[in-house]
Amino acid sequence: MKINYSNPSIQKDITKIKKPNAHGMLFENALNISNEYYLNKGIASIHKKPTPIQVVKVDYPARNKAKIVEAYYKVPSTTDYNGIYRGKYIDYEAKETQNLSFSFKHISNHQIEHLKKIDALGGIAFVIIFYRKINKIYLIDIKVFLKLFINSTNGSAKAIHHRVADDMGIEAVQGYSPPIDYLTAIDKLYFEK
Amino acid sequence: MKINYSNPSIQKDITKIKKPNAHGMLFENALNISNEYYLNKGIASIHKKPTPIQVVKVDYPARNKAKIVEAYYKVPSTTDYNGIYRGKYIDYEAKETQNLSFSFKHISNHQIEHLKKIDALGGIAFVIIFYRKINKIYLIDIKVFLKLFINSTNGSAKAIHHRVADDMGIEAVQGYSPPIDYLTAIDKLYFEK
């Protein structure tokens, strides 16, 4: 595994996050560190959106100090990541699977719809999937993803096998810095055609 | 005042949000409604990012039901809004003032830095200011905003008077649907030059 889990800033971020579902956290943090790297190098500005939280009750134990005492996680209305690269709008959803196939039930319709809209508006929209078992990361453009998804509702596979991802998507290579060099994959998929 | 405050969906959003500082809420909601309008028309996909919240403690009163019982508002690392319009990446910060001038102390350095980076990467970056007293909304491109900001540190005005905004920015006209037609202002400022 080439993702640098011992990086202290990754560890800090992990302990900071207390989501009900910790699944995919290391992958997400590797993406976040990669985005920080790209930002610091002036290559791209891509950020993870904060998790939407519905705040119900706030206390003020001290003046100007708000303490949220009742809140709930909300379903995000868009994707996890967006930003700018090579002057283009970039938007993607990051997914992880422990299986050899990524099941469509792990992505919501409104996320697919959102990516479809971005594509229609001229942006770069894709799903990035980490197949943990084989330690491979693939980008799949939303148009391709959508085709596979629609086929799945017509009796085809209800999931994307990593071999299909390898065939129809493009691999994002893992390394040290950045941990996931997915912009090079974007270059190949969208700019070098 | 042309912003339609009686719109039920605005009201719903207002009651949903319980932030420590309710200042600027109606302006933000008018922007959100405008963005919904643009999205539904297929013109643009621009969204407000969720408020970043640091979750400290989560209870599970029932299986699969997470209740956040201790959390705090965090300082956002980027701006409030971003998205895509006419194929371009759009990023802006929305501000409101009750005075005739917008004071620079109400925008943070890291927000200005973020907009500067977006501009350098080829995106559209600006600050949108609602001068409530005169009921006018202006877009000011980050390059212009930065010039005014830098001058302010050299002895010039520490704020942007609405006449300066009118002179150096562009007005976003208020109407019924969308409540704030700021994309028309973007057209003029960035596409019809």
Side-chain angles (χ1 to χ4, degrees), chain A residues 16 18 20 42-45 47 50 53-55 58 60 66-73 78 82-84 87 89 114 118 121 123, chain B residues 16 18 20 42-45 47 50 53-55 58 60 66-72 78 82-84 87 89 114 118 121 123:
Chain A
K16 259 201 277 180
K18 296 245 174 47
I43 298 167
S45 176
H47 297 267
I53 288 172
Q54 164 96 52
V55 175
V58 184
Y60 293 87
K67 181 184 176 184
I68 299 161
V69 293
E70 187 182 353
Y72 302 93
Y73 292 101
T78 61
N82 75 353
I84 181 171
Y89 176 84
H114 172 74
I118 297 307
L121 287 164
Chain B
K16 260 202 274 181
K18 294 246 170 51
I43 298 167
S45 175
H47 297 268
I53 288 172
Q54 164 95 53
V55 174
V58 183
Y60 293 87
K67 181 184 176 184
I68 298 160
V69 293
E70 186 183 353
Y72 301 93
T78 60
N82 74 353
I84 181 171
Y89 176 84
H114 172 74
I118 297 307
L121 287 164

Tab-separated table of all heavy atoms in Angstrom, chain A residues 16 18 20 42-45 47 50 53-55 58 60 66-73 78 82-84 87 89 114 118 121 123, chain B residues 16 18 20 42-45 47 50 53-55 58 60 66-72 78 82-84 87 89 114 118 121 123:
chain	number	residue	atom	x	y	z
A	16	LYS	N	-10.016	13.979	13.725
A	16	LYS	CA	-10.955	15.101	13.755
A	16	LYS	C	-12.352	14.682	13.321
A	16	LYS	O	-13.336	15.237	13.758
A	16	LYS	CB	-10.461	16.214	12.817
A	16	LYS	CG	-9.766	17.364	13.555
A	16	LYS	CD	-9.769	18.615	12.718
A	16	LYS	CE	-8.646	18.650	11.717
A	16	LYS	NZ	-8.602	19.825	10.884
A	18	LYS	N	-15.609	12.501	12.992
A	18	LYS	CA	-16.364	11.480	13.724
A	18	LYS	C	-17.685	11.222	13.004
A	18	LYS	O	-18.750	11.567	13.497
A	18	LYS	CB	-16.613	11.935	15.165
A	18	LYS	CG	-15.349	12.091	15.991
A	18	LYS	CD	-15.303	11.083	17.128
A	18	LYS	CE	-14.003	11.085	17.902
A	18	LYS	NZ	-13.546	12.413	18.279
A	20	PRO	N	-20.641	8.817	11.293
A	20	PRO	CA	-21.168	7.513	11.656
A	20	PRO	C	-20.526	6.391	10.846
A	20	PRO	O	-20.320	5.300	11.326
A	20	PRO	CB	-22.664	7.625	11.358
A	20	PRO	CG	-22.819	8.831	10.498
A	20	PRO	CD	-21.670	9.724	10.806
A	42	GLY	N	0.010	25.384	-6.784
A	42	GLY	CA	-0.669	26.307	-7.702
A	42	GLY	C	-1.189	25.616	-8.955
A	42	GLY	O	-1.387	26.251	-9.982
A	43	ILE	N	-1.407	24.303	-8.873
A	43	ILE	CA	-1.843	23.522	-10.033
A	43	ILE	C	-3.366	23.515	-10.152
A	43	ILE	O	-3.931	23.592	-11.239
A	43	ILE	CB	-1.323	22.059	-9.918
A	43	ILE	CG1	0.212	22.033	-9.923
A	43	ILE	CG2	-1.877	21.185	-11.037
A	43	ILE	CD1	0.813	20.695	-9.496
A	44	ALA	N	-4.042	23.394	-9.010
A	44	ALA	CA	-5.503	23.282	-9.013
A	44	ALA	C	-6.034	23.715	-7.658
A	44	ALA	O	-5.297	23.738	-6.660
A	44	ALA	CB	-5.918	21.829	-9.285
A	45	SER	N	-7.291	24.086	-7.633
A	45	SER	CA	-7.958	24.370	-6.358
A	45	SER	C	-9.201	23.493	-6.285
A	45	SER	O	-10.230	23.806	-6.880
A	45	SER	CB	-8.325	25.855	-6.272
A	45	SER	OG	-9.060	26.108	-5.083
A	47	HIS	N	-11.530	21.161	-3.549
A	47	HIS	CA	-11.765	20.985	-2.113
A	47	HIS	C	-12.900	20.005	-1.855
A	47	HIS	O	-13.841	19.915	-2.641
A	47	HIS	CB	-12.127	22.325	-1.467
A	47	HIS	CG	-11.030	23.344	-1.557
A	47	HIS	ND1	-10.099	23.517	-0.573
A	47	HIS	CD2	-10.709	24.227	-2.536
A	47	HIS	CE1	-9.248	24.456	-0.922
A	47	HIS	NE2	-9.595	24.920	-2.115
A	50	PRO	N	-17.729	20.460	3.049
A	50	PRO	CA	-18.046	19.984	4.404
A	50	PRO	C	-19.271	19.073	4.378
A	50	PRO	O	-20.138	19.209	3.516
A	50	PRO	CB	-18.376	21.282	5.157
A	50	PRO	CG	-17.779	22.386	4.347
A	50	PRO	CD	-17.810	21.921	2.921
A	53	ILE	N	-24.728	19.303	7.793
A	53	ILE	CA	-25.278	18.961	9.105
A	53	ILE	C	-26.464	19.867	9.409
A	53	ILE	O	-26.411	21.074	9.190
A	53	ILE	CB	-24.179	19.091	10.191
A	53	ILE	CG1	-23.165	17.937	10.046
A	53	ILE	CG2	-24.777	19.112	11.595
A	53	ILE	CD1	-21.949	18.051	10.920
A	54	GLN	N	-27.539	19.241	9.853
A	54	GLN	CA	-28.750	19.974	10.227
A	54	GLN	C	-28.647	20.310	11.717
A	54	GLN	O	-28.720	19.414	12.562
A	54	GLN	CB	-29.958	19.074	9.963
A	54	GLN	CG	-31.238	19.509	10.630
A	54	GLN	CD	-32.078	20.320	9.679
A	54	GLN	OE1	-32.341	19.894	8.558
A	54	GLN	NE2	-32.480	21.495	10.119
A	55	VAL	N	-28.453	21.579	11.997
A	55	VAL	CA	-28.309	21.996	13.393
A	55	VAL	C	-29.691	22.274	13.972
A	55	VAL	O	-30.489	22.999	13.385
A	55	VAL	CB	-27.414	23.248	13.497
A	55	VAL	CG1	-27.355	23.749	14.936
A	55	VAL	CG2	-26.015	22.936	12.986
A	58	VAL	N	-28.578	25.063	19.635
A	58	VAL	CA	-27.271	25.646	19.944
A	58	VAL	C	-27.331	26.258	21.342
A	58	VAL	O	-28.282	26.968	21.665
A	58	VAL	CB	-26.893	26.743	18.916
A	58	VAL	CG1	-25.498	27.283	19.184
A	58	VAL	CG2	-26.982	26.210	17.493
A	60	TYR	N	-25.202	28.603	24.337
A	60	TYR	CA	-24.157	29.621	24.435
A	60	TYR	C	-23.579	29.609	25.845
A	60	TYR	O	-23.959	30.422	26.677
A	60	TYR	CB	-24.711	30.997	24.063
A	60	TYR	CG	-25.086	31.060	22.603
A	60	TYR	CD1	-26.349	30.661	22.158
A	60	TYR	CD2	-24.160	31.474	21.646
A	60	TYR	CE1	-26.683	30.681	20.811
A	60	TYR	CE2	-24.486	31.497	20.297
A	60	TYR	CZ	-25.747	31.099	19.895
A	60	TYR	OH	-26.071	31.110	18.569
A	66	ALA	N	-20.616	29.552	20.531
A	66	ALA	CA	-21.769	28.721	20.197
A	66	ALA	C	-21.389	27.254	20.321
A	66	ALA	O	-20.392	26.805	19.758
A	66	ALA	CB	-22.231	29.022	18.784
A	67	LYS	N	-22.184	26.497	21.071
A	67	LYS	CA	-21.967	25.064	21.192
A	67	LYS	C	-23.215	24.362	20.643
A	67	LYS	O	-24.320	24.553	21.159
A	67	LYS	CB	-21.743	24.697	22.658
A	67	LYS	CG	-21.492	23.215	22.895
A	67	LYS	CD	-21.378	22.920	24.384
A	67	LYS	CE	-21.233	21.427	24.625
A	67	LYS	NZ	-21.206	21.122	26.071
A	68	ILE	N	-23.016	23.581	19.610
A	68	ILE	CA	-24.140	22.851	19.014
A	68	ILE	C	-24.399	21.620	19.878
A	68	ILE	O	-23.492	20.822	20.104
A	68	ILE	CB	-23.808	22.446	17.559
A	68	ILE	CG1	-23.565	23.704	16.706
A	68	ILE	CG2	-24.920	21.586	16.978
A	68	ILE	CD1	-22.812	23.447	15.416
A	69	VAL	N	-25.616	21.488	20.387
A	69	VAL	CA	-25.913	20.370	21.286
A	69	VAL	C	-26.905	19.366	20.677
A	69	VAL	O	-27.123	18.291	21.232
A	69	VAL	CB	-26.433	20.861	22.662
A	69	VAL	CG1	-25.325	21.607	23.416
A	69	VAL	CG2	-27.656	21.744	22.494
A	70	GLU	N	-27.496	19.740	19.554
A	70	GLU	CA	-28.322	18.756	18.844
A	70	GLU	C	-28.237	19.012	17.346
A	70	GLU	O	-28.567	20.109	16.864
A	70	GLU	CB	-29.785	18.796	19.299
A	70	GLU	CG	-30.592	17.654	18.670
A	70	GLU	CD	-32.067	17.671	19.050
A	70	GLU	OE1	-32.462	18.480	19.909
A	70	GLU	OE2	-32.827	16.889	18.445
A	71	ALA	N	-27.792	18.001	16.628
A	71	ALA	CA	-27.646	18.135	15.177
A	71	ALA	C	-27.653	16.751	14.547
A	71	ALA	O	-27.424	15.750	15.233
A	71	ALA	CB	-26.351	18.862	14.847
A	72	TYR	N	-27.938	16.721	13.260
A	72	TYR	CA	-28.014	15.436	12.542
A	72	TYR	C	-27.318	15.548	11.188
A	72	TYR	O	-27.317	16.613	10.582
A	72	TYR	CB	-29.480	15.031	12.340
A	72	TYR	CG	-30.216	14.911	13.649
A	72	TYR	CD1	-30.929	15.997	14.176
A	72	TYR	CD2	-30.174	13.734	14.386
A	72	TYR	CE1	-31.566	15.910	15.402
A	72	TYR	CE2	-30.812	13.634	15.606
A	72	TYR	CZ	-31.503	14.726	16.111
A	72	TYR	OH	-32.119	14.631	17.329
A	73	TYR	N	-26.758	14.440	10.742
A	73	TYR	CA	-26.169	14.401	9.408
A	73	TYR	C	-27.280	14.462	8.363
A	73	TYR	O	-28.317	13.812	8.519
A	73	TYR	CB	-25.341	13.125	9.218
A	73	TYR	CG	-24.095	13.115	10.071
A	73	TYR	CD1	-24.038	12.384	11.255
A	73	TYR	CD2	-22.993	13.873	9.714
A	73	TYR	CE1	-22.893	12.392	12.052
A	73	TYR	CE2	-21.844	13.883	10.502
A	73	TYR	CZ	-21.810	13.148	11.668
A	73	TYR	OH	-20.684	13.168	12.448
A	78	THR	N	-25.181	17.338	-3.406
A	78	THR	CA	-24.273	17.283	-4.554
A	78	THR	C	-23.214	16.207	-4.290
A	78	THR	O	-23.461	15.265	-3.562
A	78	THR	CB	-23.603	18.649	-4.802
A	78	THR	OG1	-22.845	19.012	-3.646
A	78	THR	CG2	-24.635	19.733	-5.084
A	82	ASN	N	-15.306	19.419	-5.534
A	82	ASN	CA	-15.309	20.209	-6.763
A	82	ASN	C	-14.233	21.276	-6.714
A	82	ASN	O	-13.634	21.523	-5.671
A	82	ASN	CB	-16.706	20.778	-7.070
A	82	ASN	CG	-17.090	21.939	-6.177
A	82	ASN	OD1	-16.399	22.278	-5.217
A	82	ASN	ND2	-18.208	22.550	-6.484
A	83	GLY	N	-13.973	21.860	-7.891
A	83	GLY	CA	-12.936	22.870	-7.951
A	83	GLY	C	-12.558	23.193	-9.385
A	83	GLY	O	-13.344	22.950	-10.308
A	84	ILE	N	-11.349	23.733	-9.535
A	84	ILE	CA	-10.893	24.175	-10.851
A	84	ILE	C	-9.520	23.589	-11.169
A	84	ILE	O	-8.640	23.532	-10.299
A	84	ILE	CB	-10.869	25.723	-10.934
A	84	ILE	CG1	-10.421	26.214	-12.307
A	84	ILE	CG2	-10.008	26.342	-9.819
A	84	ILE	CD1	-10.595	27.713	-12.521
A	87	GLY	N	-8.259	25.613	-15.875
A	87	GLY	CA	-9.341	26.523	-16.251
A	87	GLY	C	-10.719	25.888	-16.306
A	87	GLY	O	-11.716	26.571	-16.515
A	89	TYR	N	-13.963	23.527	-14.806
A	89	TYR	CA	-14.677	23.126	-13.599
A	89	TYR	C	-14.627	21.599	-13.462
A	89	TYR	O	-14.927	20.874	-14.411
A	89	TYR	CB	-16.126	23.591	-13.667
A	89	TYR	CG	-16.951	23.137	-12.487
A	89	TYR	CD1	-16.955	23.858	-11.300
A	89	TYR	CD2	-17.714	21.975	-12.548
A	89	TYR	CE1	-17.699	23.439	-10.212
A	89	TYR	CE2	-18.463	21.541	-11.471
A	89	TYR	CZ	-18.443	22.277	-10.302
A	89	TYR	OH	-19.172	21.857	-9.230
A	114	HIS	N	-26.515	14.960	-10.461
A	114	HIS	CA	-25.669	16.155	-10.331
A	114	HIS	C	-24.502	16.097	-11.327
A	114	HIS	O	-24.248	17.064	-12.051
A	114	HIS	CB	-25.157	16.270	-8.890
A	114	HIS	CG	-24.133	17.355	-8.708
A	114	HIS	ND1	-24.472	18.697	-8.707
A	114	HIS	CD2	-22.785	17.309	-8.559
A	114	HIS	CE1	-23.370	19.421	-8.548
A	114	HIS	NE2	-22.344	18.610	-8.456
A	118	ILE	N	-23.452	18.594	-14.531
A	118	ILE	CA	-22.143	19.231	-14.687
A	118	ILE	C	-21.585	18.929	-16.080
A	118	ILE	O	-21.072	19.813	-16.765
A	118	ILE	CB	-21.156	18.724	-13.594
A	118	ILE	CG1	-21.657	19.111	-12.201
A	118	ILE	CG2	-19.745	19.253	-13.836
A	118	ILE	CD1	-21.977	20.558	-11.997
A	121	LEU	N	-23.243	20.928	-18.678
A	121	LEU	CA	-22.853	22.345	-18.619
A	121	LEU	C	-21.399	22.567	-19.051
A	121	LEU	O	-20.884	23.679	-19.003
A	121	LEU	CB	-23.064	22.894	-17.202
A	121	LEU	CG	-24.517	23.127	-16.782
A	121	LEU	CD1	-24.625	23.293	-15.263
A	121	LEU	CD2	-25.097	24.358	-17.475
A	123	GLY	N	-18.617	20.898	-17.809
A	123	GLY	CA	-17.593	20.621	-16.801
A	123	GLY	C	-17.055	19.209	-16.912
A	123	GLY	O	-17.564	18.400	-17.697
B	16	LYS	N	-34.801	26.519	9.050
B	16	LYS	CA	-33.914	25.367	9.146
B	16	LYS	C	-32.552	25.756	9.703
B	16	LYS	O	-31.902	24.967	10.356
B	16	LYS	CB	-33.709	24.754	7.747
B	16	LYS	CG	-34.562	23.524	7.500
B	16	LYS	CD	-33.986	22.672	6.411
B	16	LYS	CE	-34.447	23.136	5.057
B	16	LYS	NZ	-33.935	22.327	3.951
B	18	LYS	N	-29.863	27.525	11.971
B	18	LYS	CA	-29.727	28.115	13.308
B	18	LYS	C	-28.263	28.453	13.539
B	18	LYS	O	-27.588	27.844	14.353
B	18	LYS	CB	-30.211	27.134	14.383
B	18	LYS	CG	-31.703	26.832	14.337
B	18	LYS	CD	-32.435	27.356	15.549
B	18	LYS	CE	-33.946	27.284	15.423
B	18	LYS	NZ	-34.396	25.944	15.030
B	20	PRO	N	-25.099	31.018	14.669
B	20	PRO	CA	-24.985	32.035	15.711
B	20	PRO	C	-25.237	33.437	15.170
B	20	PRO	O	-25.774	34.290	15.847
B	20	PRO	CB	-23.541	31.888	16.199
B	20	PRO	CG	-22.830	31.080	15.163
B	20	PRO	CD	-23.863	30.255	14.485
B	42	GLY	N	-31.365	24.713	-16.119
B	42	GLY	CA	-30.201	24.150	-16.829
B	42	GLY	C	-29.194	25.189	-17.266
B	42	GLY	O	-28.421	24.975	-18.195
B	43	ILE	N	-29.207	26.353	-16.594
B	43	ILE	CA	-28.314	27.458	-16.963
B	43	ILE	C	-26.960	27.335	-16.258
B	43	ILE	O	-25.920	27.630	-16.829
B	43	ILE	CB	-28.967	28.819	-16.598
B	43	ILE	CG1	-30.275	29.011	-17.377
B	43	ILE	CG2	-28.005	29.967	-16.861
B	43	ILE	CD1	-31.134	30.164	-16.866
B	44	ALA	N	-26.995	26.937	-15.015
B	44	ALA	CA	-25.773	26.889	-14.204
B	44	ALA	C	-25.977	25.921	-13.053
B	44	ALA	O	-27.111	25.618	-12.678
B	44	ALA	CB	-25.430	28.272	-13.661
B	45	SER	N	-24.874	25.433	-12.514
B	45	SER	CA	-24.936	24.620	-11.292
B	45	SER	C	-24.023	25.273	-10.262
B	45	SER	O	-22.806	25.096	-10.295
B	45	SER	CB	-24.504	23.183	-11.590
B	45	SER	OG	-24.458	22.423	-10.392
B	47	HIS	N	-23.717	26.135	-6.070
B	47	HIS	CA	-24.281	25.731	-4.775
B	47	HIS	C	-23.559	26.415	-3.621
B	47	HIS	O	-22.371	26.703	-3.711
B	47	HIS	CB	-24.162	24.216	-4.603
B	47	HIS	CG	-24.939	23.435	-5.611
B	47	HIS	ND1	-26.225	23.026	-5.381
B	47	HIS	CD2	-24.628	23.012	-6.854
B	47	HIS	CE1	-26.668	22.369	-6.450
B	47	HIS	NE2	-25.714	22.346	-7.362
B	50	PRO	N	-21.963	23.646	2.491
B	50	PRO	CA	-22.446	23.543	3.873
B	50	PRO	C	-21.506	24.271	4.837
B	50	PRO	O	-20.308	24.375	4.565
B	50	PRO	CB	-22.417	22.033	4.137
B	50	PRO	CG	-22.386	21.382	2.799
B	50	PRO	CD	-21.684	22.342	1.881
B	53	ILE	N	-18.619	22.195	10.199
B	53	ILE	CA	-18.880	21.960	11.626
B	53	ILE	C	-17.936	20.887	12.144
B	53	ILE	O	-17.751	19.850	11.507
B	53	ILE	CB	-20.364	21.567	11.842
B	53	ILE	CG1	-21.255	22.803	11.627
B	53	ILE	CG2	-20.586	20.980	13.238
B	53	ILE	CD1	-22.732	22.518	11.622
B	54	GLN	N	-17.315	21.185	13.265
B	54	GLN	CA	-16.413	20.228	13.919
B	54	GLN	C	-17.252	19.394	14.888
B	54	GLN	O	-17.729	19.905	15.907
B	54	GLN	CB	-15.357	21.040	14.683
B	54	GLN	CG	-14.581	20.258	15.709
B	54	GLN	CD	-13.283	19.756	15.120
B	54	GLN	OE1	-12.496	20.531	14.564
B	54	GLN	NE2	-13.055	18.472	15.218
B	55	VAL	N	-17.415	18.133	14.542
B	55	VAL	CA	-18.227	17.251	15.383
B	55	VAL	C	-17.326	16.631	16.459
B	55	VAL	O	-16.274	16.077	16.151
B	55	VAL	CB	-18.905	16.152	14.534
B	55	VAL	CG1	-19.627	15.158	15.426
B	55	VAL	CG2	-19.852	16.780	13.531
B	58	VAL	N	-20.931	12.097	19.183
B	58	VAL	CA	-22.130	11.585	18.521
B	58	VAL	C	-22.739	10.492	19.385
B	58	VAL	O	-22.030	9.602	19.863
B	58	VAL	CB	-21.783	11.000	17.123
B	58	VAL	CG1	-23.042	10.545	16.406
B	58	VAL	CG2	-21.035	12.015	16.275
B	60	TYR	N	-25.850	7.467	19.717
B	60	TYR	CA	-26.671	6.609	18.869
B	60	TYR	C	-27.894	6.153	19.660
B	60	TYR	O	-27.906	5.050	20.198
B	60	TYR	CB	-25.852	5.416	18.367
B	60	TYR	CG	-24.763	5.850	17.425
B	60	TYR	CD1	-23.518	6.240	17.904
B	60	TYR	CD2	-25.008	5.939	16.057
B	60	TYR	CE1	-22.524	6.683	17.042
B	60	TYR	CE2	-24.014	6.375	15.194
B	60	TYR	CZ	-22.771	6.746	15.687
B	60	TYR	OH	-21.799	7.187	14.837
B	66	ALA	N	-27.636	8.496	14.033
B	66	ALA	CA	-26.589	9.266	14.700
B	66	ALA	C	-27.140	10.616	15.140
B	66	ALA	O	-27.744	11.337	14.349
B	66	ALA	CB	-25.420	9.471	13.753
B	67	LYS	N	-26.927	10.937	16.412
B	67	LYS	CA	-27.335	12.249	16.929
B	67	LYS	C	-26.077	12.955	17.421
B	67	LYS	O	-25.398	12.463	18.325
B	67	LYS	CB	-28.336	12.059	18.071
B	67	LYS	CG	-28.832	13.360	18.667
B	67	LYS	CD	-29.740	13.100	19.862
B	67	LYS	CE	-30.153	14.401	20.519
B	67	LYS	NZ	-30.958	14.159	21.739
B	68	ILE	N	-25.783	14.077	16.802
B	68	ILE	CA	-24.607	14.845	17.207
B	68	ILE	C	-24.983	15.632	18.461
B	68	ILE	O	-25.965	16.377	18.461
B	68	ILE	CB	-24.165	15.792	16.068
B	68	ILE	CG1	-23.776	14.970	14.831
B	68	ILE	CG2	-23.014	16.687	16.512
B	68	ILE	CD1	-23.783	15.771	13.537
B	69	VAL	N	-24.221	15.451	19.536
B	69	VAL	CA	-24.564	16.112	20.797
B	69	VAL	C	-23.520	17.148	21.222
B	69	VAL	O	-23.744	17.907	22.157
B	69	VAL	CB	-24.784	15.092	21.940
B	69	VAL	CG1	-26.031	14.251	21.662
B	69	VAL	CG2	-23.567	14.204	22.122
B	70	GLU	N	-22.395	17.170	20.546
B	70	GLU	CA	-21.440	18.248	20.787
B	70	GLU	C	-20.700	18.554	19.489
B	70	GLU	O	-20.067	17.685	18.897
B	70	GLU	CB	-20.440	17.882	21.894
B	70	GLU	CG	-19.548	19.067	22.250
B	70	GLU	CD	-18.489	18.742	23.306
B	70	GLU	OE1	-18.518	17.629	23.870
B	70	GLU	OE2	-17.632	19.614	23.551
B	71	ALA	N	-20.804	19.804	19.076
B	71	ALA	CA	-20.153	20.229	17.837
B	71	ALA	C	-19.960	21.741	17.875
B	71	ALA	O	-20.610	22.443	18.653
B	71	ALA	CB	-21.000	19.833	16.629
B	72	TYR	N	-19.054	22.224	17.030
B	72	TYR	CA	-18.742	23.661	16.997
B	72	TYR	C	-18.605	24.125	15.556
B	72	TYR	O	-18.158	23.373	14.692
B	72	TYR	CB	-17.436	23.928	17.762
B	72	TYR	CG	-17.518	23.482	19.201
B	72	TYR	CD1	-17.083	22.209	19.571
B	72	TYR	CD2	-18.062	24.313	20.172
B	72	TYR	CE1	-17.193	21.777	20.880
B	72	TYR	CE2	-18.175	23.896	21.485
B	72	TYR	CZ	-17.737	22.615	21.835
B	72	TYR	OH	-17.866	22.192	23.131
B	78	THR	N	-12.634	28.122	2.545
B	78	THR	CA	-12.807	28.697	1.214
B	78	THR	C	-13.972	29.702	1.265
B	78	THR	O	-14.250	30.275	2.313
B	78	THR	CB	-13.103	27.600	0.168
B	78	THR	OG1	-14.310	26.922	0.530
B	78	THR	CG2	-11.976	26.580	0.096
B	82	ASN	N	-19.677	28.060	-5.006
B	82	ASN	CA	-18.946	27.807	-6.242
B	82	ASN	C	-19.773	26.913	-7.163
B	82	ASN	O	-20.787	26.343	-6.754
B	82	ASN	CB	-17.545	27.250	-5.972
B	82	ASN	CG	-17.568	25.803	-5.522
B	82	ASN	OD1	-18.611	25.206	-5.275
B	82	ASN	ND2	-16.386	25.226	-5.399
B	83	GLY	N	-19.317	26.863	-8.413
B	83	GLY	CA	-20.060	26.071	-9.384
B	83	GLY	C	-19.606	26.352	-10.798
B	83	GLY	O	-18.485	26.829	-11.019
B	84	ILE	N	-20.480	26.032	-11.749
B	84	ILE	CA	-20.143	26.166	-13.166
B	84	ILE	C	-21.208	26.968	-13.898
B	84	ILE	O	-22.404	26.787	-13.673
B	84	ILE	CB	-19.941	24.764	-13.812
B	84	ILE	CG1	-19.563	24.883	-15.295
B	84	ILE	CG2	-21.173	23.877	-13.635
B	84	ILE	CD1	-19.135	23.562	-15.930
B	87	GLY	N	-19.604	27.011	-18.909
B	87	GLY	CA	-18.385	26.210	-18.984
B	87	GLY	C	-17.268	26.668	-18.069
B	87	GLY	O	-16.231	26.013	-17.985
B	89	TYR	N	-15.558	27.919	-14.348
B	89	TYR	CA	-15.629	27.745	-12.898
B	89	TYR	C	-15.901	29.110	-12.250
B	89	TYR	O	-15.228	30.090	-12.537
B	89	TYR	CB	-14.302	27.178	-12.376
B	89	TYR	CG	-14.266	27.063	-10.876
B	89	TYR	CD1	-14.794	25.960	-10.220
B	89	TYR	CD2	-13.701	28.077	-10.099
B	89	TYR	CE1	-14.774	25.860	-8.835
B	89	TYR	CE2	-13.678	27.984	-8.717
B	89	TYR	CZ	-14.213	26.878	-8.099
B	89	TYR	OH	-14.192	26.785	-6.727
B	114	HIS	N	-8.095	32.787	-1.306
B	114	HIS	CA	-8.746	31.738	-2.087
B	114	HIS	C	-9.230	32.295	-3.434
B	114	HIS	O	-8.971	31.703	-4.492
B	114	HIS	CB	-9.914	31.140	-1.299
B	114	HIS	CG	-10.760	30.183	-2.085
B	114	HIS	ND1	-10.334	28.913	-2.397
B	114	HIS	CD2	-11.980	30.324	-2.646
B	114	HIS	CE1	-11.262	28.310	-3.122
B	114	HIS	NE2	-12.275	29.137	-3.284
B	118	ILE	N	-8.185	31.310	-7.385
B	118	ILE	CA	-9.153	30.928	-8.423
B	118	ILE	C	-8.939	31.788	-9.669
B	118	ILE	O	-8.932	31.282	-10.795
B	118	ILE	CB	-10.602	31.095	-7.892
B	118	ILE	CG1	-10.867	30.156	-6.714
B	118	ILE	CG2	-11.626	30.865	-9.003
B	118	ILE	CD1	-10.555	28.704	-6.948
B	121	LEU	N	-5.961	30.721	-11.540
B	121	LEU	CA	-6.168	29.437	-12.225
B	121	LEU	C	-7.150	29.556	-13.406
B	121	LEU	O	-7.476	28.564	-14.049
B	121	LEU	CB	-6.668	28.375	-11.230
B	121	LEU	CG	-5.625	27.846	-10.227
B	121	LEU	CD1	-6.298	27.116	-9.073
B	121	LEU	CD2	-4.629	26.919	-10.926
B	123	GLY	N	-10.352	30.941	-13.265
B	123	GLY	CA	-11.769	30.934	-12.907
B	123	GLY	C	-12.325	32.339	-12.754
B	123	GLY	O	-11.582	33.322	-12.792
